Amino acid sequence: MRGKILISGASVAGPVLAYWLHRYGFEVTVVEKAATVRSGGYPIDIRGTALGVVERMGILPELRAANVDTRTLTFLNADGSRVATVRNEVIAGGVVGRDLEIRRGDLTSALYNTVRDDVEFVFNDSIATLDQHEDRVDVTFHSGARRTFDLVIGADGLHSGVRNLVFGPEEQFHRYLGYCFAGFTVPNDLGLSHEGVIWNTPGRAGILYAVRDEDQLHGFLSFARPEPPFEAFRDPAAQRELVASMFPEQQWEIPRLVAEMRTADDLFFDIVSQIHLPRWSSGRVALTGDAAHAPSFLSGQGTSIALVGAYMLAGALATNPDHTSAFAAYERDTREFAELNQALATEGSAGLLPATAEILAARNEALRAATTMPTEADKPAYSALVLPDFEPVLSR
């Protein structure tokens, strides 16, 4: 056995990392604060280099069967009149029939099922303290359990607890992109199917998104705000009031969206932000996925970067003689790919959340002129990294 590694987080990056580390001979434990792998969730995209990761894991056919096949996006003016209807690929880029759009829960379930019998999963727990030594990391869990590992990897998301313990408070690495959003589900009373509808005024958007022809829609309300509303982060009532105050319009479905948001039992409120770290490791602890390089949903690439980053980290640990050189190789070979995809968020904000009347008018003009035929190529950032075939070194 090559060593004992603890991974915090069982969403996307964590199970991918666990799968490959097990393949390379490591003893792996995954700790997850939730009671189980989360099901459902909004659709996410897998494109470019990331497709190679799921293909090598043998789950690409399963994911293709779960593809939600969003066909069109319709953009609306403030009064609800139509600006344009375009193919999804016109906005996102990519190639019809190759790229994947699936429910987040379908992906996380597939990843978990691939590795659950090979590594240890500990649910309903999380890391409370990390004490690094020259030859080990002593970990205390919130349950009170204490264990020792050779390495610890934080794959625990945008608001990473591991990052906070080892690298310091999130604020120093957090880059606010100027928007807040609320997500929730609403009844599909409009009969939408395989499509999204996006209502805009400058700096604000109301979105309804239909996964296939199901009876529930994903609703989103997003708005520009100069500073993050820190006062609302731990106060759900304040979140609902803030969102409602930003959408006083009695146009289109906005009153209904606000009413549904006020009573939703699945409301998710957050800010649109990225994580930028000067380094992704410290001693025997490293970060991957959103914990290391969250790009925000405006990039459309958070899941894809997480898949690729976890694959690259596992390969680096398998092919380098020690963790120090492995972490350095992981960052050297992956950082440019992550940063290129983070940069897509600026383009995404102009498309989905135009901040000014001028930007909105230019976006609408471009939509009216856009072809509705599918594009035939990725955005370059999607495939900016070619997956290596790792040849593990002998056990350390």
Side-chain angles (χ1 to χ4, degrees):
M1 190 62 63
R2 299 166 67 88
K4 297 170 62 177
I5 298 181
L6 173 65
I7 301 169
S8 177
S11 181
V12 175
V16 173
L17 181 61
Y19 172 88
W20 290 105
L21 288 176
H22 170 74
R23 288 278 301 269
Y24 297 140
F26 292 91
E27 181 179 349
V28 181
T29 297
V30 181
V31 62
E32 167 58 49
K33 65 182 179 180
T36 186
V37 173
R38 295 180 177 92
S39 61
Y42 51 84
I44 53 86
D45 299 300
I46 304 175
R47 308 184 185 100
T49 302
L51 288 167
V53 177
V54 295
E55 183 175 23
R56 293 182 185 196
M57 294 178 70
I59 60 174
L60 183 57
E62 177 182 354
L63 298 182
R64 288 221 179 276
N67 192 47
V68 303
D69 186 27
T70 298
R71 297 165 187 168
T72 60
L73 299 175
T74 296
F75 292 82
L76 304 178
N77 292 306
D79 62 3
S81 60
R82 187 174 70 90
V83 175
T85 297
V86 298
R87 288 283 311 204
N88 187 34
E89 292 77 21
V90 171
I91 302 300
V95 178
V96 175
R98 188 185 67 186
D99 298 346
L100 292 173
E101 182 188 20
I102 60 174
R103 290 180 185 274
R104 184 175 182 85
D106 289 340
L107 173 61
T108 56
S109 294
L111 294 173
Y112 173 64
N113 291 337
T114 301
V115 74
R116 66 180 180 180
D117 295 331
D118 298 323
V119 308
E120 177 189 17
F121 279 84
V122 179
F123 291 100
N124 276 322
D125 210 350
S126 58
I127 298 171
T129 66
L130 292 168
D131 187 11
Q132 294 200 62
H133 302 273
E134 184 176 343
D135 60 345
R136 69 189 191 279
V137 185
D138 294 331
V139 179
T140 301
F141 296 90
H142 280 105
S143 65
R146 296 183 179 182
R147 296 175 63 175
T148 296
F149 299 89
D150 295 296
L151 302 172
V152 175
I153 310 297
D156 48 348
L158 174 67
H159 305 299
S160 168
V162 171
R163 189 184 62 230
N164 187 70
L165 286 171
V166 177
F167 295 82
E170 179 178 313
E171 290 74 17
Q172 60 188 313
F173 311 119
H174 176 273
R175 183 175 299 175
Y176 177 55
L177 299 186
Y179 295 91
C180 306
F181 72 95
F184 47 94
T185 55
V186 302
N188 187 4
D189 297 335
L190 299 178
L192 299 181
S193 175
H194 296 268
E195 62 187 302
V197 183
I198 303 166
W199 173 95
N200 285 111
T201 63
R204 292 179 300 153
I207 301 172
L208 288 172
Y209 202 90
V211 176
R212 303 190 182 95
D213 55 0
E214 295 181 358
D215 59 5
Q216 291 286 310
L217 301 173
H218 293 281
F220 299 92
L221 291 168
S222 186
F223 56 92
R225 185 180 170 93
E227 298 294 333
F230 293 114
E231 69 283 355
F233 283 164
R234 300 184 184 278
D235 185 348
Q239 295 169 9
R240 296 178 198 269
E241 288 302 319
L242 173 62
V243 176
S245 72
M246 297 300 300
F247 290 89
E249 285 83 5
Q250 299 297 309
Q251 297 171 307
W252 187 55
E253 294 289 316
I254 295 302
R256 177 185 169 217
L257 279 170
V258 170
E260 294 283 357
M261 178 275 301
R262 283 190 178 277
T263 60
D265 59 9
D266 58 354
L267 177 66
F268 179 74
F269 176 86
D270 208 343
I271 56 178
V272 181
S273 57
Q274 297 182 334
I275 293 297
H276 292 264
L277 285 149
R279 65 186 190 284
W280 295 344
S281 65
S282 178
R284 290 180 169 269
V285 178
L287 303 172
T288 194
D290 278 358
H293 42 63
S296 88
F297 76 84
L298 291 177
S299 73
Q301 282 293 89
T303 300
S304 290
I305 305 174
L307 289 165
V308 173
Y311 175 87
M312 296 296 290
L313 175 55
L317 287 166
T319 56
N320 283 275
D322 55 68
H323 69 277
T324 301
S325 57
F327 290 161
Y330 156 60
E331 186 165 345
R332 179 195 66 226
D333 295 338
T334 314
R335 179 177 280 276
E336 182 181 7
F337 174 74
E339 291 179 345
L340 284 170
N341 283 279
Q342 283 182 314
L344 296 175
T346 300
E347 181 179 331
S349 65
L352 293 177
L353 298 167
T356 67
E358 292 76 17
I359 296 174
L360 177 58
R363 192 282 308 267
N364 288 349
E365 183 178 354
L367 287 173
R368 293 186 187 101
T371 176
T372 58
M373 295 300 292
T375 58
E376 294 298 331
D378 286 332
K379 295 180 180 179
Y382 295 169
S383 302
L385 185 152
V386 177
L387 290 182
D389 294 313
F390 291 109
E391 296 293 336
V393 297
L394 296 176
S395 298
R396 296 192 288 273

